[in-house]
């Protein structure tokens, strides 16, 4: 009799573990403990190269869950196994609002005040139960028209299909964009709140104030505050993006290669994953090439203006590690000044005397004027920089993968196929952010006191996540495999609960102490891994589980894309 009881118990446990729809794909041993971590992942801004022996943590209670409908859940059953009285059983938990049946599936829309862990515990006792998930809102993927005062004058944004791309993403704070230029106007009404600490390599201080106007104009193209009833719209909307201004050019409009090199190293060492360079020279140098390679080796995407000499692509745009950008006019023709050559990747709106690119400008340089039109490949490059930020927010990462997506989604101009005047063509923002290849999830996972992998999930495009944990004391980590090599390595983004700058070291993660059924809100900061020899302290087996989870999420992502077609 005892033998049969053991057999029954084993079958029952296998059934429950198979059908309870746990939020992790890593098998967990039976446990009586359950809690949930809810949080937000964003980029750390500061030095990521120093070694820190201590950590500090500032908690945050901010979490955007507007896409979830409060107290509504979708309960999924196998229609062939579910009992006839299942609706009555669900009514004991709340109110059944609706029902959907097709093929061998049945779904109920349930309104209840119970949380998901408790609901799963109860529903797992009902035969045929498969899964439960929150009911969420959906929105139309249509053209978005911001309410900014001068938006109708911004022909450049509609030319590259940004209003359609914005239906999918308006940016994220997962990455930081460095703008190496003439500084910025920190007081500009349409740039308020978008800047993080940068540096002035001209005056050697921490206040890169714009004395020329060029840098403010470039920053506005990337990230002017959008939909705020004033001024202009920016490619990334300026709602979440972080801009790091690095000043190497003074009022004269000239700077030095040495200051450029210092700015690139500063950007990489302070966690920037995108660098906009709307300046250049006709002369290559060992120094500039070395720092460009340094950025490239750290998986930093460097977007460079091709130059305005109607001649060969200038430097640093001509280096193979950068993304070189030429300019087109309002009539979608190559701008007469735009440099050309085999190094050119794509073109973007740059304008000419018939129609410039409208963007922000310091009013203290041109009295009573806060917005102005300018033309050049300097204006074209920030369109691409902003688009790259939107792509990364959608999980499209990796320098060469991003280059490939930009080229493959470009609108062919000039001679059929690639040519030296238009590169692969005009960038297409909508096609780029909806590209189906090269996607990587931002993985969030917990580790127990013994150093063993506890649970895994992944964050959405805004860095938000929910993670069910099975132990009362855990450490929480986040990892984005930026180069797609299936291992935490040089240039990837890594963070943990308690990270506060310096070289990411997973042994410095703080331990979270949780109580049964607690829902804890936390923030995680992530930063680039800057050590080529970096390894996680996870065991080989747990690291393999983590990578397998990431790969499974990627497979499900692509399957969903195929199914939606």
């Amino acid at each position: 009799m005892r033998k049969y009881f053991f057999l029954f118990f084993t079958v029952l446990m296998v059934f429950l573990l198979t059908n309870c729809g746990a939020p992790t794909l890593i098998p967990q041993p039976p446990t009586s403990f359950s809690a949930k971590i809810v949080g937000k992942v964003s980029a750390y801004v500061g030095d990521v190269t120093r070694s820190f022996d201590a950590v500090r943590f500032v908690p945050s209670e901010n979490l955007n869950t507007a896409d979830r409908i409060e107290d509504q859940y979708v309960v999924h059953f196998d229609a062939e196994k579910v009992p006839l009285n299942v609706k009555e059983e669900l009514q004991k938990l709340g109110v059944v609002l609706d029902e959907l049946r097709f093929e061998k599936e049945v779904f109920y829309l349930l309104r209840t005040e119970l949380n998901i862990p408790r609901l799963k515990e109860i529903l797992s006792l009902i035969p045929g139960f498969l899964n439960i998930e929150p009911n969420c809102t959906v929105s139309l993927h249509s053209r978005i028209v911001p309410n900014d005062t001068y938006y109708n004058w911004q022909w450049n944004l509609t030319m590259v299909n940004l209003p359609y791309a914005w239906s999918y993403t308006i940016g994220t704070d997962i990455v930081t964009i460095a703008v190496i230029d003439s500084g910025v106007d920190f007081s500009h009404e349409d740039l308020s709140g978008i800047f993080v600490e940068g540096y002035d390599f001209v005056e050697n201080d921490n206040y890169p104030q714009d004395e020329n106007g060029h840098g403010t104009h470039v920053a506005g193209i990337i990230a002017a505050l959008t939909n705020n009833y004033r001024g202009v719209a920016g490619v990334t909307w300026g709602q979440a993006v972080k801009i790091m201004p690095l000043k190497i050019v003074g009022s004269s409009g000239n700077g030095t290669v040495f200051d450029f090199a210092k700015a690139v190293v500063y950007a990489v060492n302070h966690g920037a994953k995108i660098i906009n360079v709307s300046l250049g020279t006709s002369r290559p140098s060992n120094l500039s090439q070395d720092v460009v390679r340094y950025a490239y080796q750290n998986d930093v995407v460097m977007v460079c203006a091709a130059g305005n000499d109607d001649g060969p692509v200038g430097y640093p745009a001509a280096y193979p590690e950068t993304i070189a950008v030429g300019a087109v006019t309002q009539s979608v023709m190559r701008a007469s000044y735009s440099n050309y050559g085999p190094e050119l990747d794509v073109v973007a709106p740059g304008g000419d005397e018939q129609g410039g690119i409208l963007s922000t400008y310091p009013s203290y340089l041109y009295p009573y004027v806060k917005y102005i039109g300018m033309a050049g490949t300097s204006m074209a490059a920030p369109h691409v920089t902003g688009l790259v930020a939107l792509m990364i927010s959608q999980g499209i990462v990796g320098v060469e993968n991003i280059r490939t997506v930009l080229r493959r989604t470009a609108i062919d101009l000039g001679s059929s196929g690639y040519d030296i005047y238009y590169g692969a063509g005009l960038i297409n923002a909508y096609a780029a952010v909806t590209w189906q290849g090269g996607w990587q999830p931002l993985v969030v996972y917990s580790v127990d006191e013994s150093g063993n992998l506890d649970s895994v999930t992944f964050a959405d495009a805004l860095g938000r996540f929910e993670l069910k944990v099975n132990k009362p004391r855990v450490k929480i980590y986040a990892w984005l495999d930026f180069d797609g090599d299936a291992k935490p390595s040089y240039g990837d983004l890594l963070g943990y609960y308690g990270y506060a700058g310096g070289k990411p070291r997973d042994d410095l993660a703080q331990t979270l102490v949780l109580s049964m059924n607690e829902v804890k809100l936390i923030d995680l900061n992530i930063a680039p891994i800057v050590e080529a020899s970096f390894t996680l302290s996870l065991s080989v087996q747990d690291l393999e589980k983590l990578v397998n989870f990431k790969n499974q999420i990627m497979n499900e992502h692509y399957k969903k894309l195929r199914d939606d077609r």
Side-chain angles (χ1 to χ4, degrees):
M1 187 68 180
R2 181 177 300 174
K3 179 176 70 174
Y4 292 115
F5 175 82
F6 178 79
L7 179 61
F8 171 80
F9 179 80
T10 302
V11 172
L12 177 62
M13 289 306 298
V14 170
F15 172 81
L16 291 178
L17 288 172
T18 304
N19 292 282
C20 281
T24 172
L25 299 184
I26 294 179
Q28 298 294 333
T31 176
S32 58
F33 184 85
S34 178
K36 184 165 65 175
I37 308 295
V38 181
K40 170 78 170 63
V41 181
S42 57
Y44 172 79
V45 179
D47 194 339
V48 300
T49 62
R50 292 183 296 147
S51 295
F52 276 71
D53 296 321
V55 297
R56 64 185 184 276
F57 170 69
V58 180
S60 172
E61 300 297 325
N62 297 324
L63 182 71
N64 182 3
T65 56
D67 59 337
R68 295 182 55 170
I69 301 176
E70 187 176 2
D71 297 335
Q72 286 192 19
Y73 301 92
V74 178
V75 187
H76 183 192
F77 289 96
D78 184 331
E80 294 184 338
K81 298 178 181 179
V82 69
L84 295 176
N85 67 337
V86 64
K87 197 168 183 178
E88 288 77 8
E89 292 297 315
L90 292 178
Q91 295 282 15
K92 297 176 183 178
L93 305 177
V95 178
V96 177
L97 301 175
D98 210 342
E99 176 182 346
L100 173 65
R101 290 178 180 267
F102 59 92
E103 295 182 338
K104 298 180 181 180
E105 319 288 334
V106 57
F107 297 83
Y108 292 98
L109 181 58
L110 175 67
R111 185 172 66 207
T112 176
E113 295 181 357
L114 297 176
N115 59 33
I116 284 186
R118 178 58 179 155
L119 287 169
K120 283 189 173 180
E121 182 180 343
I122 298 170
L123 293 170
S124 64
L125 301 176
I126 300 177
F129 171 69
L130 296 176
N131 191 32
I132 181 173
E133 62 185 9
N135 191 24
C136 300
T137 60
V138 297
S139 57
L140 294 174
H141 290 314
S142 57
R143 181 175 182 267
I144 291 182
V145 181
N147 58 28
D148 300 80
T149 309
Y150 304 122
Y151 174 73
N152 288 335
W153 295 8
Q154 293 183 273
W155 55 268
N156 47 307
L157 302 181
T158 55
M159 175 182 285
V160 296
N161 286 327
L162 271 165
Y164 292 97
W166 288 334
S167 295
Y168 284 84
T169 177
I170 53 173
T172 179
D173 61 356
I174 291 174
V175 295
T176 301
I177 303 170
V179 176
I180 299 178
D181 215 288
S182 65
V184 294
D185 176 5
F186 290 99
S187 64
H188 199 287
E189 63 178 10
D190 226 3
L191 301 175
S192 176
I194 72 169
F195 300 116
V196 298
E197 184 176 347
Y199 197 80
D200 185 339
F201 293 92
V202 178
E203 302 293 337
N204 288 314
D205 59 40
N206 293 316
Y207 192 66
Q209 182 74 12
D210 193 356
E211 301 172 276
N212 176 275
H214 189 274
T216 299
H217 198 272
V218 166
I221 295 172
I222 299 171
L225 297 177
T226 304
N227 217 39
N228 63 342
Y229 292 100
R230 67 176 61 180
V232 295
V235 173
T236 64
W237 273 49
Q239 303 289 0
V241 70
K242 295 176 177 178
I243 301 292
M244 177 190 296
L246 301 175
K247 179 179 176 179
I248 69 165
V249 172
S251 58
S252 67
N254 297 311
T256 70
V257 168
F258 198 84
D259 280 348
F260 165 75
K262 289 196 294 182
V264 171
V265 172
Y266 183 99
V268 174
N269 290 352
H270 286 75
K273 291 302 288 182
I274 312 171
I275 300 177
N276 186 91
V277 184
S278 287
L279 45 80
T281 176
S282 61
R283 297 172 61 89
S285 76
N286 291 332
L287 174 60
S288 63
Q289 186 162 27
D290 283 348
V291 296
V292 167
R293 285 174 179 166
Y294 178 63
Y296 184 81
Q297 290 165 356
N298 279 273
D299 296 327
V300 175
V301 184
M302 186 177 291
V303 180
C304 299
N308 304 327
D309 307 309
D310 187 25
V313 173
Y315 296 90
Y319 296 130
E321 295 87 356
T322 71
I323 295 175
V325 184
V328 295
T329 65
Q330 192 169 359
S331 58
V332 203
M333 298 293 293
R334 170 184 163 264
S336 59
Y337 54 78
S338 185
N339 287 359
Y340 54 88
E343 303 89 353
L344 196 65
D345 285 293
V346 290
V347 293
D352 60 8
E353 63 276 3
Q354 303 300 318
I357 306 299
L358 187 64
S359 186
T360 49
Y361 198 78
S363 60
Y364 52 80
L365 295 180
Y366 201 152
Y368 309 111
V369 175
K370 298 178 181 179
Y371 305 89
I372 199 169
M374 297 176 71
T377 57
S378 285
M379 284 63 252
H383 286 83
V384 178
T385 295
L387 176 53
V388 170
L390 296 182
M391 292 165 65
I392 292 175
S393 77
Q394 292 295 94
I396 302 169
V397 295
V399 179
E400 291 306 324
N401 180 58
I402 286 171
R403 186 198 311 275
T404 297
V405 174
L406 288 171
R407 283 177 165 236
R408 289 187 178 179
T409 58
I411 301 167
D412 191 19
L413 299 175
S415 303
S416 180
Y418 181 90
D419 65 77
I420 63 172
Y421 297 105
Y422 294 96
L426 177 67
I427 59 168
N428 183 341
Y430 173 79
V433 302
T434 57
W435 182 254
Q436 296 182 4
W439 182 82
Q440 290 285 338
L442 175 54
V443 178
V444 180
Y445 62 96
S446 60
V447 173
D448 65 21
E449 287 186 287
S450 300
N452 297 320
L453 193 62
D454 172 63
S455 189
V456 187
T457 187
F458 67 101
D460 67 11
L462 296 177
R464 302 171 303 182
F465 69 90
E466 290 186 6
L467 176 69
K468 177 188 174 184
V469 297
N470 304 288
K471 301 292 178 61
R473 296 175 64 87
V474 291
K475 296 179 178 181
I476 310 298
Y477 299 86
W479 168 45
L480 178 60
D481 187 8
F482 202 87
D483 55 9
D485 65 354
K487 60 182 180 181
S489 59
Y490 204 36
D492 286 357
L493 291 168
L494 180 78
Y496 40 81
Y497 179 73
Y499 175 76
K503 298 176 182 179
R505 284 175 44 189
D506 61 352
D507 60 311
L508 293 179
Q510 286 189 351
T511 298
L512 275 172
V513 181
L514 304 158
S515 56
M516 183 66 176
N517 293 328
E518 181 180 2
V519 178
K520 185 130 184 127
L521 275 72
I522 67 170
D523 277 353
L524 296 178
N525 282 329
I526 53 176
I529 298 172
V530 293
E531 290 182 300
S533 60
F534 178 88
T535 57
L536 284 180
S537 57
L538 286 174
S539 67
V540 173
Q541 294 81 4
D542 278 347
L543 181 57
E544 184 178 354
K545 290 178 183 178
L546 185 63
V547 172
N548 287 343
F549 171 84
K550 180 176 78 75
N551 292 338
Q552 187 167 343
I553 291 298
M554 291 169 64
N555 291 336
E556 292 178 357
H557 171 80
Y558 289 120
K559 181 180 183 301
K560 184 177 185 302
L561 290 175
R562 290 192 299 269
D563 292 344
D564 288 345
R565 284 204 296 256

